[in-house]
Amino acid sequence: MKVKCFSTHSFEERYLTKWAQTYKLDIDFLSTSLNKDVVSLAKGYDCISCWPSDDLGKEVLESLHEFGVKMISLRSAGFSHLDLAKAKELGMTITRVPSYSPEAIAEHTLGLLMCLNRKYLKAFQRVRDFNFTLEGLEGVNIHGKTVGVVGTGQIGEAFARIMKGMGCSLLLNDKVENTELAKEIDAKYVDLETLLSQSDIISLHCPLNESTRYLINSKNIDLIKPSAFLLNTGRGGLIDTKALIDKLKKREIKGVGLDVYEHEENVFFKDHSDMGLSDELLLRLMSFPNVLITSHQAFFTKEALDNIAKTSLENINNFFHQKENLKENRLS
Ligand code: NAD
């Protein structure tokens, strides 16, 4: 089986190599991201493996189909970079990795919160500078606070359980209520407006789609208390960045922790240290001392990388040998 692996990062290659040996797959690694200019590189391959930065829009899918690529194995859970309707129309098989380690993302979300609240980065720099003063480092107890979790799927549930363990009260919001979870952690489901206005910590864990784009927007952002923290490890497009910047300018939010950003595709996962940034919105966001941004690294643990490599290559093996095993990993 010949597989072309687009957007291969050095950090995932050893995991992919390990599982390729297990499944006896012949993989060619390529660091280049897939787009219409380089799609011809997929010629001669039965299958391609893709990362969220790869363009799987209509035009690219049509070319892949023309070149005889039968299957696309996504190395991600999210698929907002894919034209699923087109893939279905072309009869292409697409698989994803629906779950690889919800705890990795939930734990990173807690990390963002703790860094913002207890100002660890400032404290680290200060102590390295032999400045052992405490002024400006004051935080609040997380214990006893109200945490609002939007999207109570795998990651939202893991985060809610962590916060319950820290002694918080939980408010939940989802289209589909997980009544068992609510009962176990003594939480209640509320509408988004109630969650935004009553939570001390708000964390977004729903997928990005047409119903969730700008879930936090200029109309509802002022419901968030000035003393509250807003965390987003879901997708950048869940927040209208301009509305968030306006709220930050008014100093009406305590802290913002973001692992994702609305226009991250041109910036994240790349080194811009020589060139600087041209994204004005991101630059403005980064200018606030109470905004902490990480570059979509919430998933980035050894366990998650191993699971992504294993499942994405297992999907390829199943497609060619045991299609019935693809089950819920199959998008089309
Ligand atoms: P999941 O499918 O298990 O859960 C998503 C939940 O969101 C579901 O319960 C769904 O009903 C709910 N939802 C959908 N629309 C909603 C709406 N309008 N309002 C409220 N809830 C809504 O997915 P998951 O594995 O928990 O992942 C959640 C998201 O986290 C992914 O879609 C992805 O965008 C993001 N993610 C980020 C990283 C990272 O590294 N930062 C890694 C993996 C996933």
Side-chain angles (χ1 to χ4, degrees):
M1 220 65 58
K2 285 192 75 186
V3 182
K4 187 91 173 180
C5 188
F6 284 94
S7 299
T8 314
H9 304 90
S10 52
F11 57 71
E12 44 172 359
E13 206 168 315
R14 73 187 165 102
Y15 298 100
L16 289 163
T17 304
K18 178 179 98 177
W19 289 106
Q21 282 164 0
T22 305
Y23 294 119
K24 299 187 173 49
L25 298 171
D26 177 8
I27 298 202
D28 282 340
F29 295 113
L30 191 68
S31 61
T32 311
S33 290
L34 177 63
N35 59 49
K36 60 180 168 38
D37 300 327
V38 299
V39 66
S40 59
L41 294 169
K43 267 186 196 165
Y45 290 86
D46 307 300
C47 168
I48 62 166
S49 167
C50 291
W51 187 255
S53 55
D54 291 320
D55 172 1
L56 289 168
K58 177 176 177 288
E59 216 176 316
V60 172
L61 288 177
E62 278 170 348
S63 301
L64 291 170
H65 184 249
E66 197 185 307
F67 300 151
V69 173
K70 297 174 192 68
M71 190 226 180
I72 302 174
S73 170
L74 305 182
R75 304 197 301 285
S76 60
F79 50 92
S80 45
H81 58 304
L82 163 77
D83 186 337
L84 184 56
K86 188 72 201 175
K88 282 184 178 164
E89 184 193 314
L90 294 168
M92 297 178 92
T93 295
I94 316 276
T95 58
R96 65 175 181 143
V97 184
S99 171
Y100 41 86
S101 181
E103 293 76 19
I105 295 99
E107 289 169 12
H108 186 79
T109 312
L110 174 65
L112 289 174
L113 172 65
M114 293 310 289
C115 279
L116 280 167
N117 177 34
R118 304 302 292 268
K119 305 178 177 69
Y120 292 143
L121 302 180
K122 203 182 228 183
F124 173 73
Q125 292 298 346
R126 209 180 271 192
V127 169
R128 277 176 72 98
D129 221 14
F130 308 130
N131 175 353
F132 296 89
T133 62
L134 296 183
E135 280 72 19
L137 299 183
E138 187 183 293
V140 293
N141 280 10
I142 298 299
H143 183 94
K145 295 292 182 288
T146 299
V147 178
V149 179
V150 184
T152 55
Q154 300 173 83
I155 299 170
E157 171 169 351
F159 183 68
R161 288 185 186 280
I162 290 175
M163 300 318 289
K164 181 68 184 172
M166 289 184 75
C168 298
S169 304
L170 272 302
L171 294 177
L172 310 175
N173 173 267
D174 200 307
K175 293 190 306 186
V176 188
E177 299 190 2
N178 182 343
T179 45
E180 210 170 300
L181 169 72
K183 200 170 157 202
E184 267 182 55
I185 62 172
D186 193 22
K188 68 176 178 195
Y189 276 91
V190 293
D191 58 41
L192 184 63
E193 288 68 30
T194 307
L195 184 146
L196 295 180
S197 57
Q198 295 187 4
S199 301
D200 303 303
I201 296 152
I202 297 157
S203 197
L204 308 182
H205 299 288
C206 50
L208 178 64
N209 54 44
E210 281 326 301
S211 78
T212 59
R213 189 173 297 281
Y214 286 180
L215 191 84
I216 307 293
N217 53 60
S218 57
K219 291 198 181 76
N220 64 14
I221 201 163
D222 285 332
L223 292 172
I224 299 176
K225 297 194 263 187
S227 58
F229 292 99
L230 174 65
L231 308 166
N232 186 11
T233 55
R235 281 290 180 268
L238 297 177
I239 300 179
D240 177 349
T241 311
K242 287 189 180 139
L244 178 60
I245 288 174
D246 285 344
K247 188 148 174 89
L248 282 156
K249 275 170 63 184
K250 291 187 278 176
R251 300 193 186 173
E252 284 180 355
I253 191 157
K254 177 87 174 160
V256 178
L258 306 173
D259 185 52
V260 287
Y261 162 62
E262 201 183 335
H263 308 294
E264 70 177 52
E265 56 285 352
N266 301 322
V267 185
F268 285 13
F269 301 122
K270 293 179 190 130
D271 182 359
H272 301 267
S273 54
D274 277 351
M275 314 271 289
L277 279 184
S278 53
D279 184 326
E280 301 286 342
L281 213 54
L282 181 58
L283 282 165
R284 186 67 181 103
L285 209 47
M286 287 168 67
S287 73
F288 295 100
N290 56 340
V291 173
L292 176 58
I293 301 175
T294 51
S295 175
H296 208 139
Q297 71 169 83
F299 75 98
F300 199 47
T301 66
K302 184 172 178 286
E303 291 81 357
L305 287 171
D306 196 45
N307 285 337
I308 292 169
K310 176 180 188 289
T311 308
S312 66
L313 298 191
E314 189 178 49
N315 285 341
I316 297 174
N317 185 57
N318 282 338
F319 173 73
F320 288 104
H321 300 299
Q322 292 157 299
K323 278 202 179 61
E324 66 283 4
N325 288 351
L326 287 175
K327 291 179 202 151
E328 73 272 15
N329 293 2
R330 188 172 191 157
L331 290 169
S332 80

